[in-house]
Every structure is written in C-alpha cells, then in structure tokens.
Amino acid sequence: MAHVCKVFSRRLSTSTAVRSAIKHVTVIGGGLMGSGIAQVAAATGHDVIMVDQTDDILAKSKAAIQKSLGRVAKKKYADDGEAQASFVGEVMSRISTNTDAVAACGKTDLVVEAIVENLDVKRRLFTALDAAAEEHTIFASNTSSLPIKDIASATKRQDRFGGLHFFNPVPMMKLVEVVKIPETSNETFERLVNLGKAMEKTTVECKDTPGFIVNRLLVPYMMEAVRMLERGDASARDIDTAMKLGAGYPMGPFELADYVGLDTTKFIMDGWSQKYPDIEIFRKSDLLNKLVAEGKFGRKTGEGFYKYDKK
Ligand SMILES: CCCCCCCCCCCCCC(=O)CC(=O)SCCNC(=O)CCNC(=O)[C@H](O)C(C)(C)COP(=O)(O)OP(=O)(O)OC[C@H]1O[C@@H](n2cnc3c(N)ncnc32)[C@H](O)[C@@H]1OP(=O)(O)O
Ligand SMILES: NC(=O)C1=CN([C@@H]2O[C@H](COP(=O)(O)OP(=O)(O)OC[C@H]3O[C@@H](n4cnc5c(N)ncnc54)[C@H](O)[C@@H]3O)[C@@H](O)[C@H]2O)C=CC1
C-alpha cells in the first residue's frame, strides 16, 4: 500500500509541477535587461508581454530584440535566409507590448521586473501590481544590488516572490541567479529554477545577500579599477587590456561598465555607499559621478569611459 501511495504522490507532485510550469511571462521594463529577458523567454516558447513607459520606448525595445534575434538566427541557420526570417518572426510573434503594467499583469504566471535600479520605484510598481495579479502569479526582480526582501515587503505575496538575476547580454550569458527570501515558498523557488532552466540558463541558488554571488565579487573588482584610474596608476585602456589578456576576461572593467550602463552602475553604488558607509570600497567614485552628471552613460548614450560610433 505504501508503495502505491508513494507512486501516486510522485505522480501528483509531477502533475502539479507540470500544471504550475510558467508559460506566460510579463516583463516590466524593456531596457537593456528587460528586452533581453523578453527575447529569451519568447525564444524558449513562453508567451511574453513586455511593458515600458511609452510606445516609443517599446518600439525601440522591439527593434533591439529583432536585431539581437537576427544575430542569433545567423548562427543557428548559417546561410538559410528563409529559416532565419522564420525563426525571428516566430519569436517576435510571442512578444506583445503594453504601457499599462497593471493591465499586463492581470493574467500571467510570472512578473519579472527590470526597471530602473531604484528601490522606491520598484516598490511602488510591485504594490500596484500586487492588487491586480492573480493569486498564483509569482513576482521576481532582476535587481543587481537591492535586497529582494526590501522589494518584496511592498507586497502581500512574499511567499510568491524571488529574485531572478539575469546577466547582460541576456541572449549570450548562460547564468541566472535565483534568489530566495525566508518567505519564498518551496514551490515558488522550484518554479523559478525551472523557468531558468526552461530559458536554457544555468541556475545558481543564493540567499538575499548584497550583490548575490556575481556582483558581490564584481563590484569590488570594478570599484578598485576606477580607484586605480582616479589615482593615475594606469589608463582605462591599459587596465582593460591587462584584465582581458592577463585574467582572460572578455571585457575589461571600463568596457564592461560602459556596456552595463554608467547610470545603472551609479545607482548601484549610490545604494551601497549609503547602506554601507563604513566599507571603503563602496565609497562613491567622483569620476563615475562626473560622467553620469554629464549624461555619459556608456554605450547607451554613445560615450562613457570610451566614445562609441552611433549605430
Ligand atoms: C569600472 C567603472 C566603475 C564601475 C563601478 C560600479 C560597478 C558596478 C558593476 C555592477 C554590474 C551590474 C550588472 C549586473 O547586475 C550583472 C551583469 O550583467 S555583469 C555583466 C555580465 N556580462 C559580461 O561580463 C559580458 C562580458 N562580455 C562578453 O561576454 C562579450 O564581450 C559579449 C558576448 C558581450 C560580446 O561578444 P564579443 O565576442 O566580445 O563581441 P561581438 O559583439 O562581436 O559578439 C560576438 C558574437 O556574439 C553574439 N552576440 C553578441 N552580443 C549579442 C546580443 N546582444 N544578442 C545576440 N547575439 C549576440 C553574436 O553572434 C556575435 O557575433 P556577430 O557576428 O557580431 O553577430
Ligand atoms: N545593465 C545591466 O548590465 C544589468 C542590469 N540589471 C538590473 O536590471 C534592471 C534594469 O536595468 P537595465 O535594463 O540596464 O536598465 P535600462 O535603463 O536599460 O532599462 C530600464 C527600463 O525600465 C523602464 N522603466 C523605468 N521605470 C519604469 C516603470 N515604473 N514602469 C515601467 N517601465 C519603467 C525604463 O523606461 C527603461 O526602459 C536594474 O534593476 C538593474 O540593476 C541586472 C543585470 C545586469
């Protein structure tokens, strides 16, 4: 009898897991990360609604996705232009857009937020969505540096809240950090891990600690690089070259900062220098703040530590 119950319960849990598989994803924020998350979710068979503040921004987001898919298609289908076009068209057909975040969350399995790295803005968003989303809907933040618990506490569904930290560019980076808070239910965590795998990512699990795993190690390294530059120890170009050729990194710290977005890196450091005032490495960088004050956000504005050709 016990054997029959065990088989039955396993089948039940499997069917529950299958029934609770995430199929529909709402991505709030169609910027660098949100557009990438929407692209990969759609390319792996999920129905996606991408939300941003204006139709003009969403048009640019879709254009960026289309361009990225074109690069992926060339690698998948070599010289078969028809297959490439069909692949891009099929993935794009799974992405719809909306400027109304509340409306876009009414019927969805998962809301992934990838909006500006600002705690108050993220909290206001999730409070509004909490009232509109169905009971089963899971919420997740793609934040680089903010405590998931500080975002989740703006809602009444902390058991259905976690961190899904993707890496830039999402179509290329194989990692997603899945972050749980003490209130995250086991089912929620399992569904987030399963979504990461369904999106063809390698998942790692981490607690809700500052920077999770990668950024906890990356931020001190990159801040040390900018101190080196500020002291005049070496040029940005030589520091980047040294780390690519000496440490095997695909990008040096200044190339990477320009790629991430200096605005976002400033938001991250503003938060950590305020929250951890006694940790020297998190002290604000005058050079970084100067560049951002001048509107030099890196690749996204055509100039950061380096200048870029307008594409
Ligand atoms: C130092 C200043 C002070 C800073 C202080 C503050 C520090 C705070 C930092 C915290 C950062 C927070 C960010 C975060 O939360 C976590 C992150 O995401 S960290 C970033 C992680 N990502 C990386 O480290 C990226 C490293 N770079 C790379 O892997 C490669 O350079 C990259 C893949 C981006 C580009 O590849 P590369 O060979 O260098 O050049 P190509 O552009 O020619 O690409 C080659 C090939 O790859 C495909 N491809 C590239 N990009 C895309 C894309 N977006 N979509 C689709 N396909 C893409 C494509 O096939 C390319 O071939 P083509 O023929 O060019 O098409
Ligand atoms: N840039 C990077 O390399 C990475 C960033 N992240 C995190 O992802 C999040 C987004 O970062 P990025 O994509 O780089 O920023 P981004 O600036 O490229 O995009 C943010 C988007 O959110 C939109 N937005 C802002 N407030 C909104 C609101 N209330 N409702 C709807 N849309 C809103 C903006 O219009 C913009 O299009 C941040 O939390 C960041 O820390 C995580 C991993 C890597």
Side-chain angles (χ1 to χ4, degrees):
M1 189 58 183
H3 174 68
V4 171
C5 291
K6 190 179 284 185
V7 170
F8 178 71
S9 65
R10 190 163 52 240
R11 284 201 184 122
L12 189 62
S13 62
T14 307
S15 64
T16 305
V18 169
R19 207 173 39 247
S20 67
I22 292 169
K23 287 295 173 204
H24 189 288
V25 179
T26 298
V27 181
I28 315 282
L32 283 177
M33 294 306 289
S35 60
I37 296 166
Q39 173 184 333
V40 174
T44 51
H46 301 85
D47 295 323
V48 178
I49 299 181
M50 181 169 62
V51 175
D52 212 297
Q53 300 181 96
T54 68
D55 287 325
D56 180 48
I57 293 172
L58 286 167
K60 291 189 173 95
S61 306
K62 289 193 78 171
I65 293 172
Q66 184 113 15
K67 181 181 175 188
S68 174
L69 282 172
R71 299 174 84 178
V72 173
K74 272 196 188 133
K75 281 201 293 194
K76 276 174 85 86
Y77 301 105
D79 303 326
D80 186 342
E82 197 174 323
Q84 290 176 26
S86 169
F87 166 76
V88 173
E90 187 192 342
V91 176
M92 291 305 291
S93 71
R94 291 199 199 102
I95 301 173
S96 63
T97 59
N98 200 325
T99 55
D100 180 341
V102 170
C105 294
K107 280 202 169 304
T108 190
D109 298 322
L110 171 68
V111 177
V112 185
E113 165 273 311
I115 68 173
V116 62
E117 186 71 342
N118 176 292
L119 181 59
D120 292 339
V121 177
K122 291 184 190 292
R123 284 177 57 86
R124 276 201 301 276
L125 172 74
F126 276 116
T127 299
L129 301 185
D130 198 22
E134 294 175 304
E135 277 306 300
H136 81 280
T137 302
I138 290 175
F139 285 177
S141 173
N142 185 57
T143 181
S144 300
S145 64
L146 298 168
I148 299 296
K149 69 177 170 48
D150 292 355
I151 303 170
S153 62
T155 74
K156 297 183 176 67
R157 64 177 77 206
Q158 296 183 52
D159 59 316
R160 284 150 290 155
F161 208 114
L164 265 184
H165 185 221
F166 292 90
F167 288 78
N168 184 5
V170 181
M172 296 298 292
M173 305 307 283
K174 284 298 173 199
L175 182 69
V176 61
E177 292 176 326
V178 187
V179 185
K180 58 177 21 175
I181 57 178
E183 295 80 2
T184 305
S185 70
N186 290 337
E187 184 202 345
T188 294
F189 184 72
E190 186 181 340
R191 292 174 75 194
L192 290 173
V193 169
N194 289 341
L195 175 78
K197 291 174 177 167
M199 289 175 67
E200 299 172 0
K201 301 296 180 187
T202 298
T203 60
V204 295
E205 171 186 347
C206 28
K207 289 183 181 172
D208 188 21
T209 50
F212 314 130
I213 298 174
V214 174
N215 287 349
R216 186 67 171 267
L217 303 175
L218 189 65
V219 169
Y221 147 66
M222 291 178 73
M223 287 307 286
E224 199 55 61
V226 77
R227 309 280 186 233
M228 199 181 280
L229 181 61
E230 288 172 332
R231 291 193 303 263
D233 296 355
S235 69
R237 183 66 69 194
D238 281 353
I239 294 168
D240 280 350
T241 300
M243 291 311 293
K244 287 188 286 187
L245 303 187
Y249 290 5
M251 283 177 171
F254 299 101
E255 290 167 334
L256 182 57
D258 275 356
Y259 194 80
V260 163
L262 299 189
D263 50 341
T264 296
T265 63
K266 178 182 184 302
F267 298 146
I268 292 166
M269 296 324 298
D270 287 349
W272 280 13
S273 56
Q274 185 185 359
K275 199 172 175 80
Y276 312 108
D278 301 331
I279 300 183
E280 172 58 21
I281 194 71
F282 294 157
R283 178 173 49 78
K284 291 180 182 179
S285 159
D286 292 337
L287 175 56
L288 175 62
N289 289 352
K290 177 174 181 293
L291 288 169
V292 173
E294 293 168 354
K296 296 174 180 174
F297 297 171
R299 287 190 184 210
K300 60 170 68 169
T301 59
E303 184 176 354
F305 287 100
Y306 302 110
K307 288 186 179 174
Y308 301 89
D309 299 335
K310 281 281 184 199
K311 283 188 179 175

